[in-house]
Amino acid sequence: MELSITRAGELKPHPADSELSFGTIFTDHMFNMDYDPEKGWHDPRIEPYGPFILSPACMVLHYGQAIFEGLKAFRTADGRIQLFRPRKNLARLNESARRLCIPEIDEEFALQCLKQLVSIDRDWVPSARGTSLYIRPFIIATDPYIGLRSSHTYRFSIILSPVGAYYPEGFDPVKIWITDKYVRAVRGGVGHVKTAGNYAASLYATEEAHKEGYTQVLWLDGVELKYVEEVGSMNIFFVMDGELVTPMLNGSILPGITRDSVIHLARSWGVTVTERRIGIEEVFESHRNGKLSEVFGAGTAAVISPVGTIKFKDREITIGDGSAGPVSRRLFNALTDIQYGKDRGPDGWIEPVA
Ligand SMILES: *Cc1c(COP(=O)(O)O)cnc(C)c1O
């Protein structure tokens, strides 16, 4: 397949690095490619960023057949641009595609298109530490059809957004709220893939958390409401008794690439990492016994997000002295040093953009 490129006639002004927030500004170009049963995936093209024209009957609008990914391009101190483990994101996009009955894409071809897009909009990659170019690949069902079946046609797009820190608090610990009323995902469901409906389903509890003064919801398992799953759009880690513990992937937890990277780095430092079921009562118990020294979230947007406070029913605990602990800091520094090109990192983690 030949990637066609149409350059934008007029380029938008760039915001200053210091003014970047998250996900509000988009670059000059986007990638689009379409699918139909006769041609398969076809017409891959980079073109000026702009709106879609869709039928009001477009299936994604009614039945939510939509999947997405999130990754970042970073600018190194000497001005190069690099991606962090992008093949993992494209492999996961295909996992999501299979679960949502969406035709798979050619991962290697998609990576070449993605790199070409970032390269064309390279001036949009900010350089201040903590800033990056967020990359959002997504696929939507486009049949104009009312009636439940999987769509026959799809659009795969990639858009780019220069971003600052995900949380306005920066690396300061967040307050999380546990709900025992709402669940995010269930065994056999779609919690392990990045599909739009998961996030729509999480909004109500998240708004309740905000009203109570908390930043994020910590989800418990959807069956017994006893075991910790994940927090917001991050995987969760506990430092208990000097070991790093995280919920095992059980089919309802999103297999985060940051999660995988944290596990890999911690093990390479000789830290014991255990993936297992973690009861919420165990978390409170180990806090009571003084064994719980750190809690943090891990995800592309925030990288590492220390948790300062956990609230469950009428109990609230403060983790450590309420500030970011040494393991969170070490992981954050190690990951961002790799992402910003200060360290090489394990083989295959960094993909340069020409
Ligand atoms: C994307 C996401 C994560 C984190 O995955 P990364 O690959 O590390 O960005 C965790 N949980 C949910 C629900 C997510 O959507």
Side-chain angles (χ1 to χ4, degrees):
M1 255 187 306
E2 196 69 37
L3 172 65
S4 81
I5 297 174
T6 309
R7 298 250 178 193
E10 221 171 289
L11 302 182
K12 297 181 250 188
H14 299 188
D17 284 8
S18 59
E19 273 156 27
L20 292 172
S21 57
F22 204 96
T24 52
I25 296 164
F26 301 93
T27 65
D28 292 310
H29 298 88
M30 67 190 300
F31 170 80
N32 289 306
M33 173 162 79
D34 294 299
Y35 181 91
D36 70 40
E38 292 75 46
K39 297 195 208 115
W41 284 112
H42 64 276
D43 195 14
R45 56 203 186 273
I46 289 172
E47 53 194 341
Y49 181 93
F52 289 156
I53 294 172
L54 295 172
S55 161
C58 182
M59 288 190 82
V60 67
L61 302 176
H62 303 272
Y63 308 114
Q65 208 187 357
I67 57 174
F68 68 94
E69 269 305 323
L71 66 158
K72 285 172 169 175
F74 300 88
R75 191 180 288 278
T76 65
D78 57 0
R80 288 171 295 122
I81 294 169
Q82 56 185 33
L83 306 170
F84 182 70
R85 308 189 76 184
R87 286 187 170 81
K88 284 261 186 198
N89 292 91
L90 295 167
R92 189 171 63 189
L93 185 65
N94 267 343
E95 295 262 327
S96 300
R98 282 191 288 277
R99 182 63 180 82
L100 271 290
C101 301
I102 293 171
E104 288 176 47
I105 53 157
D106 178 328
E107 291 165 27
E108 206 43 50
F109 179 70
L111 179 61
Q112 296 319 314
C113 296
L114 190 159
K115 285 167 70 171
Q116 183 80 34
L117 177 65
V118 172
S119 182
I120 283 176
D121 278 341
R122 59 187 301 119
D123 289 349
W124 284 90
V125 184
S127 47
R129 191 79 184 223
T131 67
S132 57
L133 186 70
Y134 186 80
I135 303 169
R136 167 54 58 88
F138 61 103
I139 304 180
I140 56 170
T142 52
D143 277 10
Y145 176 72
I146 297 285
L148 189 54
R149 58 162 170 75
S150 56
S151 180
H152 299 142
T153 61
Y154 297 88
R155 161 105 17 116
F156 171 33
S157 302
I158 306 174
I159 56 174
L160 309 174
S161 174
V163 298
Y166 188 65
Y167 294 108
E169 299 98 322
F171 198 59
D172 294 333
V174 295
K175 295 174 72 179
I176 60 174
W177 185 78
I178 303 177
T179 171
D180 61 349
K181 195 159 157 207
Y182 306 104
V183 298
R184 192 193 85 91
V186 292
R187 202 184 311 137
V190 290
H192 62 301
V193 295
K194 272 179 128 69
T195 184
N198 285 341
Y199 305 87
S202 74
L203 296 176
Y204 195 85
T206 307
E207 289 204 352
E208 216 164 281
H210 288 169
K211 265 187 231 138
E212 301 286 331
Y214 295 82
T215 318
Q216 294 271 332
V217 174
L218 173 62
W219 301 99
L220 299 179
D221 74 280
V223 180
E224 295 177 77
L225 287 153
K226 265 191 193 160
Y227 299 97
V228 174
E229 296 241 302
E230 53 185 317
V231 50
S233 50
M234 294 186 292
N235 295 108
I236 191 155
F237 285 85
F238 301 88
V239 182
M240 284 181 188
D241 243 350
E243 292 186 6
L244 198 52
V245 188
T246 192
M248 63 198 230
L249 301 176
N250 60 355
S252 56
I253 293 173
L254 202 286
I257 294 158
T258 317
R259 176 188 183 278
D260 184 79
S261 307
V262 162
I263 292 172
H264 184 99
L265 287 179
R267 287 196 175 134
S268 76
W269 300 335
V271 175
T272 305
V273 185
T274 315
E275 299 173 69
R276 60 171 172 85
R277 289 217 294 192
I278 303 163
I280 187 59
E281 285 309 325
E282 178 190 346
V283 173
F284 278 83
E285 171 80 20
S286 61
H287 176 261
R288 236 183 345 264
N289 298 340
K291 289 181 175 171
L292 180 66
S293 52
E294 290 180 51
V295 181
F296 60 88
T300 295
V303 190
I304 298 291
S305 185
V307 172
T309 309
I310 303 179
K311 160 99 173 178
F312 183 43
K313 294 184 184 164
D314 54 353
R315 292 178 285 175
E316 184 173 271
I317 54 175
T318 302
I319 314 302
D321 62 2
S323 67
V327 179
S328 312
R329 281 187 190 284
R330 185 172 181 200
L331 283 162
F332 180 81
N333 290 337
L335 280 166
T336 53
D337 280 353
I338 296 169
Q339 292 171 334
Y340 289 96
K342 224 174 136 222
D343 267 353
R344 240 184 111 252
D347 284 348
W349 280 19
I350 290 300
E351 180 77 27
V353 171

